[in-house]
Amino acid sequence: MTVPAMHPRPGNLREVAEEIERATGLQVEILGGSLVMSPTPRGKHAGTIRRLRHQLESVMPEGLAAYEVTSIAMPGDTDDYCTPDLVVLPDSWDTDDEWLADPADVELAVEVISKSEKAHQITGKNGWYGAAGVRTLLVIDPRFGRWALYRDPDAGVYPDPVEGAFGDPLVLPEPLSTAVDTACLPLYG
């Protein structure tokens, strides 16, 4: 794939990210001042997101809603943002004109690991969510049929996660306070 040659000016990284998304269809995030690109979810990746969203929406407390393709502002650099696969925010997001959600408003961010992601990419992303103060991060890994629930970052760092395999009980904390059926989640082939 060829990405248009661009030489970003300082503070211009978002424009570059948007141009790459437009030209290639890749999902682009800016983490730590670096462009992070991934293909748009398809097949089992998208199916995992759909199944999780369906479960959450059926028990969502009033005033909250699940959103896809919603980016969250990251700390440290006004250009930095990430786009989780699924995010639970106040439903007032429906009428918000802002482009980036405030991490303090995020009740849950969900990342579904892509088939090609590497361990350092996953760890790095988890660190950014913790640094942003996202209260709860659920990482689903269809490569190995595993999940990890990160909660309540302290000084920008999540304590050890609660981990399990697909089929193990997974209960999300308040305000969601619901069990998630992970046995129905597909494994990558």
Side-chain angles (χ1 to χ4, degrees):
M1 163 187 50
T2 303
V3 176
M6 293 180 204
H7 304 286
R9 299 181 313 273
N12 193 38
L13 206 49
R14 275 200 199 157
E15 289 176 27
V16 173
E18 290 170 10
E19 180 61 25
I20 291 170
E21 282 187 343
R22 186 196 61 71
T24 67
L26 292 171
Q27 178 179 305
V28 181
E29 300 170 292
I30 304 173
L31 297 171
S34 295
L35 292 172
V36 178
M37 294 175 269
S38 56
T40 54
R42 44 195 154 154
K44 291 179 180 176
H45 187 119
T48 299
I49 298 163
R50 185 189 63 77
R51 289 172 190 199
L52 288 170
R53 182 176 183 162
H54 179 75
Q55 288 184 58
L56 291 174
E57 286 179 333
S58 69
V59 296
M60 191 74 65
E62 188 171 331
L64 293 177
Y67 298 91
E68 294 178 49
V69 195
T70 294
S71 299
I72 302 170
M74 292 285 111
D77 186 329
T78 56
D79 277 339
D80 284 3
Y81 67 94
C82 67
T83 308
D85 290 301
L86 192 64
V87 62
V88 174
L89 291 164
D91 62 8
S92 59
W93 184 248
D94 288 0
T95 58
D96 200 313
D97 285 329
E98 293 298 319
W99 180 66
L100 296 174
D102 184 333
D105 291 340
V106 176
E107 294 297 343
L108 173 68
V110 178
E111 282 284 351
V112 177
I113 304 303
S114 298
K115 200 171 185 178
S116 62
E117 277 189 274
K118 306 208 177 349
H120 71 278
Q121 293 171 310
I122 297 164
T123 303
K125 265 191 182 179
N126 296 354
W128 284 103
Y129 284 108
V134 171
R135 286 183 287 280
T136 307
L137 170 65
L138 175 59
V139 178
I140 303 288
D141 192 343
R143 299 171 309 169
F144 305 108
R146 308 269 318 153
W147 55 265
L149 183 66
Y150 297 84
R151 296 183 52 196
D152 305 317
D154 183 21
V157 177
Y158 288 115
D160 289 339
V162 175
E163 296 178 294
F166 286 7
D168 290 346
L170 167 58
V171 178
L172 297 176
E174 291 183 12
L176 298 171
S177 303
T178 189
V180 174
D181 175 14
T182 58
C184 73
L185 302 179
L187 290 167
Y188 295 145

